[in-house]
Amino acid sequence: MPTKRFTLSVKRHDPPSGEPPRFQEYELEVEEGVTVLEALLRIQAEQDGTLAFRYSCRGAVCGSCAMVANGEVSLACRTQLHGLGTDEITVEPLPHLEVVRDLVVDMDLFLEKNIEVRPWLDPPGPDPPRERLVDPSDWTEAEPYTNCILCASCHAVCPVTGRDPAYLGPAALAKHYRFLTDARDGAAEERLALVDSEVGVWGCDVVWNCSKICPKGVRPTQGILTTRERVKPKD
Amino acid sequence: MTEISRHDVLIAGGGLAGLRAAVQVHDAGGTVAVISKVYPIRSHSGAAQGGVNASLGNHPEGGDDSWKGHAFDTIKGSDYLADQPRAEILAQDAPERVFEMEHWGAYFSRFPDGRIAQRPFGGAGFPRTCYAADRTGHQLLHTLWEQCLKRGITFLNEWFVTRIVTHDGRAGGVVALHVPSGRIRTFAADVVIVAGGGYGRVFAKTTNAYINTGSLTAAAYRAGARLEDMEFIQFHPTTLYGTNILMTEGVRGEGGYLLNAEGKRFMDRYAPSVLELAPRDIVARAIQTEIDEGRGLEDEYVHLDIRHLGADVIKEKLPGIRQIAMDFAGVDPIEEPIPVQPGQHYSMGGISCDENGETDVPGLLAAGECSCVSVHGANRLGGNSLLETLVFGKRAGDRAVEIAGGVSEEAMTGALADALLEERDVVGKLRGRTDGERQIEIRRDMQRTMTDRVGLFRDQGRLADAVRELARLRTRYRRVAVGSGHAAFNYDLIDTFELGGMLELAEVTALGALVREESRGGHWRTDHPKRDDRNWLKHTMATRGRAGQPVIDYEDVLMAGYEPMERKY
Ligand SMILES: Cc1cc2nc3c(=O)[nH]c(=O)nc-3n(C[C@H](O)[C@H](O)[C@H](O)COP(=O)(O)OP(=O)(O)OC[C@H]3O[C@@H](n4cnc5c(N)ncnc54)[C@H](O)[C@@H]3O)c2cc1C
Ligand code: FES
């Protein structure tokens, strides 16, 4: 298989050291199909064991590896080097979250927002002996929102999360909508109250960045707008 | 200094088995923490596609299904190596576990009548695989994680467990390394449940996540637990050529065809009655035979064709598969067939335990893919392992709460402190050695050896070769060097540490396969092509010897009246 030479310029940062971030260049020769993640793993194993980044599934399902490659937020395991149209590639951590080291960002902050929206089903009444029956036509609205893998890509491209750390952000609001609109849920009122604020659904700039970037086709903006319609307008 | 952190139950592993156990411990009144080397939602369980089995009878053709049918199919599919009473438990508990997941919010696909949708899967007498499109694992994993959040369960995220601590032969906690900081400390618990998943990365071609290295299986083995039936590896017939990402059996369940280089369906020559829906081992060998006999494409793969299903069905039922094929192979299955080849997929063997997760080590329980209950025997049916995580995760949680307590805290505290010192020393030495061979070289050689010699087709010569090569790799490993000694996020160190355990698991796997002179389920010996119930209807048990070498022994299969018959489809 023909190979091609790439230069990966990776943003290195070790905040506890007090040193400012810097870019470090690595050269490697790879065959077609190799992803940014695979390239980073090869660098880590063969050239520089100090390079830090997260990964798990390598199949775009676990949400570990979102980062920025040549300016674009994407899952590193799904982004092929050959597909980037250049042999010089810069790799940076997700913006809007604190860097812990190199390409690793603080996920706790992000996940806590998710917890704030009470992301669990709250059905009315006791559980039936079998499954709850649901009309398939009531089953399509929430489904796309269940596909979120919590990779934080949306968080990284949202202008609001960039300027207001208190904002719940597109992922948490999409998760919120997923339960709000679940045909089995019975806690709509409480749920609506949770996000009826400037750090909730009213904080969104409606620029659709999140919906464009989501690797799983989730459309947080749509969920936010529908939720707004269901929240009583504020006096 | 030793920090004290004590729970009734500590669960090592945050995949489906670990989270299901955690919910159970909490609901049964125990204190619990889940320790995991990645955030639980990054666990490999999330990659499961096809579905989870339960005899709900929701399918129009499934009205006569019953747990008995499910148990029978499981036992037959196991090539009669499953422990029959335990396979019955798996089937009996299945509907309740699946309904419970639905009650907790899992977003199963639905039939028009509003009930959970079910699809046919290989080796099953009725369509009984419940699914959420082709993202069942993701749905179940996130649902269980949410249930843990609801209960306020403690998560110790990005802690890599290096060792299970025992005192007087009883487990009482773990030593773990904090990945972000490099700090090493102990966690005490009355009961440790190990739920560390599979070890597919021992092979070169695998559907498993990068993180599936079996390090907790190795830790349990080192702590004195026996490993059971490790030679039984499932090779999935259809993994994407190139990356070996899984193309779920559900693709064939929905009507997909397998085509060779001549563009012809070929399964009629291998399993005339069920064709593409024969069990995995049979389909995998069929594909490999086509390739080996020159009817593969580029001598490497065959085609999985779903174009005849039409764009609508593909988009509705197999959206994830379509996405993967487009992203990772540049193929849109609506327009073109998907290139596939067999690859390692699942380990039937694992830490030997009973139907409540109890291992040979008191206080140490196991659940999920890392365990061997054994319900899968020599071959697991698709949809039975997500089920296993739920059924036996719950049971382990219940048992853990029952047996918690009664541990001498003082003695255990001493044992934990000693273990901590030893472990700091081991890790310190590994970190300090910068002069020697890098782990990646040894790892790649191990993976190649396992795929080439302990793969789909095995024989005496190849296996003996593998055992010798693995011994050489262990010698090389003694001089392995970590490239850098820094503390935070030292993945190089973790990879090197894990490789030691992987080599041990590989050795047990290869040795078990070499000694077992018969063919059964996933273990196919070309020099002994028949199943031999007289001599080999028994479980392989490996104990770690004093010098670290595996000592092999055998144990009877538990029967419950299902007479072994020829496994024909
Ligand atoms: C691609 C794919 C598709 C599949 N599809 C299906 C399907 O459709 N139906 C089905 O029934 N089965 C399927 N399976 C099998 C099934 O998904 C797995 O067997 C099951 O999910 C395993 O769950 P688990 O909880 O045992 O392990 P995992 O989900 O792998 O979790 C293991 C956990 O252990 C932790 N861990 C490991 N080592 C350490 C350590 N040293 N320290 C701390 N933590 C550690 C990890 O962080 C992780 O949280 C599939 C498997 C694959 C590979
Ligand atoms: S490694 Fe799992 S999404 Fe990329």
Side-chain angles (χ1 to χ4, degrees), chain B residues 174-432:
Chain B
V174 304
V175 183
L177 179 142
H178 188 228
V179 182
S181 67
R183 200 153 65 89
I184 300 176
R185 60 160 292 184
T186 58
F187 294 90
D190 285 0
V191 181
V192 177
I193 302 180
V194 169
Y199 63 105
R201 285 283 152 182
V202 160
F203 290 81
K205 289 179 186 161
T206 175
T207 60
N208 283 200
Y210 281 130
I211 66 165
N212 280 22
T213 54
S215 53
L216 285 169
T217 307
Y221 180 52
R222 286 174 183 155
R226 286 182 302 170
L227 301 184
E228 179 173 344
D229 292 338
M230 293 287 279
E231 65 270 35
F232 294 98
I233 299 284
Q234 180 165 88
F235 296 91
H236 200 286
T238 56
T239 79
L240 194 62
Y241 174 55
T243 49
N244 299 108
I245 295 175
L246 181 71
M247 295 286 109
T248 172
E249 184 168 330
V251 178
R252 282 168 290 131
E254 295 297 344
Y257 298 149
L258 287 167
L259 308 176
N260 60 21
E262 296 153 11
K264 288 203 185 100
R265 286 176 78 181
F266 52 83
M267 280 311 298
D268 54 341
R269 287 196 283 119
Y270 303 89
S273 67
V274 287
L275 303 170
E276 275 88 353
L277 280 180
R280 293 181 177 169
D281 57 324
I282 294 173
V283 182
R285 286 194 295 271
I287 292 175
Q288 196 60 49
T289 304
E290 291 295 305
I291 296 169
D292 291 348
E293 291 179 358
R295 292 184 297 278
L297 294 108
E298 299 178 42
D299 282 337
E300 287 278 1
Y301 59 90
V302 297
H303 275 143
L304 176 58
D305 193 358
I306 52 173
R307 288 173 294 182
H308 56 283
L309 300 182
D312 289 346
V313 171
I314 294 173
K315 284 182 188 162
E316 188 205 322
K317 294 196 170 160
L318 302 165
I321 285 299
R322 177 168 179 241
Q323 192 70 51
I324 293 170
M326 294 196 299
D327 285 347
F328 294 92
V331 165
D332 182 349
I334 293 175
E335 319 267 323
E336 283 173 86
I338 311 167
V340 294
Q341 64 178 190
Q344 192 282 350
H345 182 54
Y346 185 82
S347 40
M348 270 75 74
I351 305 162
S352 182
C353 67
D354 69 11
E355 67 275 18
N356 299 311
E358 290 196 84
T359 70
D360 301 314
V361 179
L364 181 64
L365 275 57
E369 188 170 341
C370 71
S371 72
C372 182
V373 172
S374 128
V375 290
H376 308 305
N379 175 57
R380 168 187 74 103
L381 294 188
N384 263 357
S385 89
L386 289 181
L387 177 62
E388 170 183 34
T389 65
L390 301 177
V391 167
F392 294 102
K394 175 195 182 277
R395 294 178 71 95
D398 277 330
R399 177 51 55 98
V401 173
E402 280 166 32
I403 63 175
V407 180
S408 154
E409 224 170 284
E410 222 170 289
M412 212 40 109
T413 307
L416 286 163
D418 291 347
L420 179 64
L421 287 180
E422 280 171 35
E423 221 47 14
R424 281 197 176 136
D425 189 50
V426 170
V427 171
K429 280 196 179 123
L430 215 47
R431 209 183 253 154

Side-chain angles (χ1 to χ4, degrees), chain A:
Chain A
M1 212 186 258
T3 59
K4 194 171 151 186
R5 208 165 175 76
F6 288 89
T7 307
L8 263 73
S9 183
V10 183
K11 194 168 189 179
R12 307 294 309 269
H13 191 193
D14 180 21
S17 72
E19 304 272 327
R22 67 194 160 88
F23 280 92
Q24 185 165 350
E25 289 193 354
Y26 302 96
E27 304 227 330
L28 78 170
E29 180 105 18
V30 303
E31 59 283 8
E32 204 163 330
V34 167
T35 59
V36 172
L37 177 64
E38 176 65 26
L40 291 172
L41 282 164
R42 290 188 194 177
I43 292 170
Q44 191 186 59
E46 292 162 7
Q47 303 183 29
D48 185 351
T50 67
L51 188 59
F53 51 93
R54 290 198 182 99
Y55 61 89
S56 168
C57 71
R58 66 80 171 82
V61 292
C62 79
S64 297
C65 69
M67 52 184 82
V68 182
N70 279 357
E72 295 279 334
V73 170
S74 62
L75 297 175
C77 68
R78 196 171 90 151
T79 309
Q80 301 189 4
L81 293 187
H82 283 75
L84 288 171
T86 155
D87 50 12
E88 292 192 6
I89 294 162
T90 53
V91 187
E92 299 165 85
L94 284 185
H96 302 179
L97 289 166
E98 239 171 79
V99 173
V100 183
R101 188 185 169 97
D102 299 341
L103 303 170
V104 176
V105 293
D106 188 343
M107 269 288 157
D108 288 334
L109 292 173
F110 170 74
L111 293 175
E112 271 156 26
K113 294 193 181 297
N114 187 66
I115 299 171
E116 276 179 49
V117 300
R118 298 170 43 93
W120 47 80
L121 192 70
D122 203 346
D127 293 332
R130 292 181 56 102
E131 70 268 60
R132 286 196 169 73
L133 297 180
V134 253
D135 191 326
S137 64
D138 292 337
W139 207 229
T140 48
E141 182 63 18
E143 198 272 340
Y145 295 87
T146 66
N147 293 322
C148 169
I149 56 174
L150 294 171
C151 66
S153 294
C154 55
H155 191 92
V157 298
C158 170
V160 189
T161 59
R163 62 173 189 259
D164 181 5
Y167 179 50
L168 281 170
L173 290 170
K175 179 69 79 185
H176 176 269
Y177 185 67
R178 172 248 178 278
F179 285 103
L180 179 69
T181 194
D182 189 311
R184 301 164 296 180
D185 196 70
E189 221 168 291
E190 295 92 311
R191 289 192 192 282
L192 289 171
L194 276 177
V195 298
D196 181 10
S197 69
E198 280 304 315
V199 297
V201 286
W202 302 106
C204 172
D205 278 359
V206 199
V207 290
W208 299 85
N209 284 0
C210 55
S211 308
K212 280 177 223 142
I213 207 74
C214 177
K216 293 286 136 182
V218 182
R219 293 163 65 76
T221 324
Q222 189 58 59
I224 291 169
L225 293 180
T226 316
T227 308
R228 279 183 182 179
E229 280 167 29
R230 293 186 56 180
V231 176
K232 279 198 213 80
K234 292 218 245 173
D235 327 319

Side-chain angles (χ1 to χ4, degrees), chain B residues 14 16-17 36-37 43-45 50-51 161 215 246 369 380 383 385-386:
Chain B
L16 279 173
S36 172
K37 65 177 180 177
S43 301
H44 193 54
S45 288
V161 173
S215 53
L246 181 71
E369 188 170 341
R380 168 187 74 103
S385 89
L386 289 181

